[in-house]
Amino acid sequence: MRSPDHLPDVAPPEGGGAASPGEPAATPPPAPQPGLAAAGRALRGAKIGAVAAVVALLVAAQRAGLLEIFGEPARIKQALVELGPWGYVAFVAAYAALQPFGVPGTVFILAAPLIWPWPVAFALSMAGTMAASVVGFSFARFVARDWVARRVPARFRAYDEALRRRAFFTVFMLRLVLWMPPMLHVFFGVSGVRFSTHFWGSLAGYLLPLLATAYFGERVFDALRDAPPSVWIGIGAALIAVTVLLWLARRCARQEVVPS
């Protein structure tokens, strides 16, 4: 029988302590994969490029006077008509650059049928609205996801579960009802919805409202411009009634979900 002095030397497991009997030896941590590091660098580069593109677009719009023009709706028609075919490009570019960052999209949508025939107004409104939605979605998902995620209103967070179960239908309904508030772009960007689902669901949701606005917009403006005061009073009363009904419906829905 050999004495303990003749026992072979065994190196302790990596990490310090000795392995207990029956316990597997600790495995070394996996080596970093070069592919993941390269992908991370590429993603950072894409984010920087996207930010630079947005800044360049805003600077170009400012230097071309588009910010000033679209800040004064009375000047929009004259300025775009004077640009000729480039007015189409200026309209869509200004829409895509300004709406996701706070300029109301209704300024562009309501102005389009007053400037061009309704088929052209519809095509430009759809192109600008989709471009603005993609810019807002991409900015939230690829550029400033962590920063904007903390600023998404709670009323949008309530749709997280619906997006997981019925993504396309939820995007479609939110776009149909709410249209294009910048925070809705942000919400979709930080959610788990796929880009293709967001794109086609938004396109379907925008279709009917934009078509109706382009086709009836000029007629509605003409009718309202010549309407007597009684019509304006009736419209105001109807808006107040709808607002009150929506408030009551929301209050009842909240009471139903509160446990008794």
Side-chain angles (χ1 to χ4, degrees):
M1 182 175 180
R2 302 177 64 182
S3 64
D5 294 337
H6 294 87
L7 290 177
D9 294 332
V10 178
E14 187 174 352
S20 58
E23 182 179 339
T27 57
Q33 301 181 10
L36 293 179
R41 289 193 296 269
L43 181 58
R44 288 193 295 271
K47 290 181 178 181
I48 295 173
V51 172
V54 171
V55 171
L57 190 59
L58 290 173
V59 171
Q62 192 277 334
R63 293 183 64 85
L66 294 178
L67 300 183
E68 181 181 356
I69 291 172
F70 285 96
E72 301 178 19
R75 297 182 53 194
I76 294 177
K77 180 174 182 178
Q78 178 183 356
L80 293 180
V81 169
E82 290 176 353
L83 288 174
W86 284 103
Y88 302 160
V89 178
F91 179 88
V92 175
Y95 195 160
L98 302 179
Q99 193 276 334
F101 303 102
V103 176
T106 50
V107 172
F108 299 90
I109 292 175
L110 296 178
L114 302 179
I115 302 172
W116 298 289
W118 78 263
V120 177
F122 170 67
L124 294 178
S125 296
M126 179 61 78
T129 304
M130 288 302 301
S133 300
V134 169
V135 168
F137 177 94
S138 301
F139 181 81
R141 175 154 297 187
F142 304 115
V143 178
R145 185 184 185 97
D146 295 336
W147 182 79
V148 299
R150 296 190 296 268
R151 290 162 174 80
V152 175
R155 63 191 181 99
F156 289 139
R157 288 295 188 188
Y159 297 102
D160 279 332
E161 181 62 27
L163 274 177
R164 282 191 288 269
R165 291 185 285 112
R166 298 183 300 274
F168 181 89
F169 180 77
T170 303
V171 173
F172 167 76
M173 289 303 300
L174 289 176
R175 290 303 194 188
L176 180 65
V177 175
L178 301 178
W179 281 29
M180 53 197 163
M183 274 300 166
L184 188 55
H185 305 332
V186 169
F187 167 65
F188 286 136
V190 300
S191 71
V193 67
R194 294 186 298 176
F195 176 86
S196 59
T197 303
H198 166 261
F199 184 91
W200 295 113
S202 297
L203 183 68
Y206 288 141
L207 185 62
L208 289 179
L210 293 183
L211 181 60
T213 304
Y215 186 79
F216 295 106
E218 185 176 7
R219 296 169 175 81
V220 171
F221 278 113
D222 291 340
L224 292 178
R225 182 178 55 192
D226 301 329
S230 58
V231 173
W232 287 101
I233 295 174
I235 293 175
L239 291 175
I240 293 173
V242 170
T243 302
V244 172
L245 289 175
L246 290 175
W247 178 79
L248 290 175
R250 179 175 297 182
R251 183 177 179 181
C252 292
R254 288 177 178 175
Q255 290 177 349
E256 289 178 358
V257 299
V258 174
S260 56

